[in-house]
Amino acid sequence: MKKLLLILLIFSVYIAGCNKKHNIFTVDGNINKISTDNKEICINDTCVNVDNIKEYKVDDHVRITLESRDTIHDVYDPKLIKVLKIEKISDF
């Protein structure tokens, strides 16, 4: 019985350790640069790849939800960023 409890305890610690949370953050603002060659839009200093580059124009207001796989550092690293969602915000 003690062995079973020990195995369950070790297994639960292992599962908890593998369940890392990723940093999810949003960037909200107007597009100030579009690179059609790289299929990239930039808001301030944050540039992200988009598939449908023709849908965006400079000065469009967008909100981008990003996920960073780097859970240790709180810095923007384009190699570790995944775009979760891009939405145009209409200003009325």
Side-chain angles (χ1 to χ4, degrees):
M1 184 68 173
K2 288 182 182 181
K3 282 185 179 183
L4 178 63
L5 288 176
L6 182 61
I7 290 171
L8 287 174
L9 178 66
I10 291 172
F11 182 73
S12 63
V13 169
Y14 174 75
I15 294 297
C18 292
N19 190 16
K20 284 198 241 178
K21 298 287 182 192
H22 298 299
N23 293 331
I24 296 177
F25 56 98
T26 59
V27 178
D28 193 336
N30 293 337
I31 298 174
N32 58 356
K33 180 182 170 189
I34 296 178
S35 173
T36 54
D37 296 335
N38 298 336
K39 292 187 175 183
E40 213 174 47
I41 61 173
C42 299
I43 300 172
N44 300 327
D45 293 329
T46 306
C47 296
V48 295
N49 292 331
V50 293
D51 293 329
N52 47 354
I53 192 75
K54 293 182 180 182
E55 290 185 20
Y56 301 99
K57 294 178 267 189
V58 173
D59 289 332
D60 279 352
H61 191 126
V62 295
R63 180 175 296 131
I64 304 171
T65 305
L66 303 168
E67 178 181 31
S68 174
R69 292 183 301 249
D70 187 354
T71 57
I72 298 170
H73 304 96
D74 192 19
V75 292
Y76 172 72
D77 186 352
K79 294 176 278 189
L80 299 174
I81 293 295
K82 176 182 174 185
V83 178
L84 297 178
K85 181 168 71 168
I86 300 176
E87 59 184 315
K88 283 187 182 181
I89 308 297
S90 19
D91 296 327
F92 290 103

